[in-house]
Amino acid sequence: MDKNGSRILTDSHGLDLTGEVKKKKEFSGLPDSVILRALNESRDDVKEARALLRKYFGVFLTNRVLHKSGKKLDVHISSKKRDYEEFYGEIFSGIRDAKSIVDLGCGVNGFSYEFLPRGVSYVGVEAAGQLVDQMNIFFKDNDFDGRAICGDLFDLDLVRGILEKAKCPRVVFLFQVVDALENMERNFSLKLIGEIMKNCEVLVLSVPLVSLGGGKKFAVKRKWLMDFLVENYNVLRDFEMFGERILVVQKK
Ligand SMILES: C[S@@+](CC[C@H](N)C(=O)[O-])C[C@H]1O[C@@H](n2cnc3c(N)ncnc32)[C@H](O)[C@@H]1O
């Protein structure tokens, strides 16, 4: 254990493996729990763990996401394609009086704060620490009611704590995150959605419709996800926009 009570993984020579992975700057901002999971999967092979992390987080590990204007949003195909004014306009056309937004796996969405409903309090949770730091500078510079937290969505206690502290009515965003979570652990996204729904008024979830390669549409039905949502919750809206399928979900 380290002084914060976290588990330290060492090899047979006592080498701190998490620290070894973090020696490469691109991984230095990731939560330890994310690195430990990759080490677990790679059977403590540091190089292999780094390769897995690159596969899972890819472009989000870079800290070159900002224009000099401080507003570059096109770090990923999802944020590149969105006109945020229209995107949030459509989503919030059916949601009244949101007091807070908790954006899980937010990527660079915090930079779109000005297009959110006026006065709303925004918390983004993201594993890529470099993005978190840049968004926090952006919120401070612009005096926005926003905050980004570097955290791991697999830490359900952390997610619960953030949701419990958020002002009601709470809207949770889970945009284009389900695939990333499912790559790491099958069916984990259902566990996370179950946890979110205990502590939020509205969940807005999106999944991509467009292949990353050519932008050609393919039929991604995700029946398992739809079945789970329909069985357990009220799916208030189900629509497509900017190459995403967007679902608005509430408790039954
Ligand atoms: C495809 S991107 C979507 C980003 C943003 N939600 C959007 O729609 O533009 C997936 C995001 O989830 C983050 N992510 C993946 N696994 C995570 C985890 N276990 N904890 C926190 N964030 C995670 C990635 O770093 C990345 O920013």
Side-chain angles (χ1 to χ4, degrees):
M1 294 274 180
D2 68 8
K3 61 179 181 339
N4 302 316
S6 309
R7 189 164 73 92
I8 296 178
L9 184 65
T10 54
D11 71 0
S12 54
H13 307 291
L15 188 69
D16 165 17
L17 295 177
T18 315
E20 274 308 294
V21 172
K22 283 190 164 186
K23 271 189 186 163
K24 283 244 185 252
K25 197 166 166 243
E26 63 192 296
F27 307 114
S28 60
L30 287 173
D32 283 359
S33 57
V34 168
I35 294 177
L36 282 169
R37 238 183 358 260
L39 280 166
N40 200 24
E41 214 179 316
S42 74
R43 298 200 180 142
D44 296 352
D45 182 317
V46 169
K47 268 197 180 160
E48 173 68 21
R50 286 178 179 152
L52 285 167
L53 291 168
R54 276 195 198 101
K55 184 176 127 199
Y56 292 146
F57 293 99
V59 70
F60 290 91
L61 294 170
T62 175
N63 57 3
R64 293 189 300 273
V65 293
L66 284 179
H67 270 321
K68 285 198 188 97
S69 67
K71 273 197 182 175
K72 186 172 178 182
L73 275 168
D74 59 349
V75 69
H76 181 258
I77 187 144
S78 53
S79 37
K80 208 182 269 184
K81 290 183 124 223
R82 291 181 195 137
D83 170 331
Y84 274 91
E85 194 168 4
E86 225 182 292
F87 185 68
Y88 291 146
E90 185 56 43
I91 288 170
F92 285 96
S93 68
I95 302 173
R96 297 273 160 255
D97 306 323
K99 283 267 189 307
S100 66
I101 291 168
V102 178
D103 189 352
L104 300 175
C106 62
V108 290
N109 282 345
F111 293 109
S112 65
Y113 179 89
E114 63 199 295
F115 303 115
L116 290 169
R118 213 164 262 272
V120 79
S121 157
Y122 175 92
V123 180
V125 183
E126 170 56 49
Q130 288 93 330
L131 301 185
V132 168
D133 293 343
Q134 289 175 340
M135 281 187 281
N136 280 327
I137 292 169
F138 172 77
F139 294 139
K140 191 161 181 264
D141 285 353
N142 291 284
D143 215 7
F144 288 147
D145 184 0
R147 192 160 63 101
I149 295 171
C150 182
D152 180 6
L153 297 181
F154 280 77
D155 183 348
L156 292 177
D157 291 338
L158 172 86
V159 173
R160 190 182 312 120
I162 292 170
L163 292 174
E164 280 173 356
K165 275 191 214 123
K167 277 183 244 163
C168 295
R170 300 154 292 187
V171 176
V172 173
F173 291 168
L174 196 64
F175 294 150
Q176 312 244 13
V177 178
V178 166
D179 289 351
L181 301 176
E182 289 297 312
N183 274 335
M184 291 184 223
E185 187 184 312
R186 199 149 169 245
N187 285 334
F188 178 77
S189 53
L190 305 185
K191 228 188 267 179
L192 177 64
I193 291 170
E195 193 57 52
I196 294 169
M197 294 307 290
K198 287 185 207 157
N199 272 301
C200 88
E201 283 57 55
V202 181
L203 167 66
V204 189
L205 179 152
S206 87
V207 288
L209 286 168
V210 177
S211 73
L212 285 184
K216 203 173 132 208
K217 262 195 181 186
F218 60 89
V220 203
K221 291 222 170 68
R222 291 187 178 77
K223 193 174 172 310
W224 57 275
L225 178 62
M226 282 314 295
D227 287 351
F228 172 79
L229 293 175
V230 169
E231 195 175 309
N232 295 289
Y233 310 106
N234 275 336
V235 179
L236 301 178
R237 292 181 74 194
D238 180 353
F239 60 100
E240 293 181 16
M241 210 176 181
F242 301 121
E244 293 173 66
R245 180 175 183 185
I246 299 159
L247 300 149
V248 181
V249 182
Q250 249 181 357
K251 276 183 211 141
K252 272 191 176 156

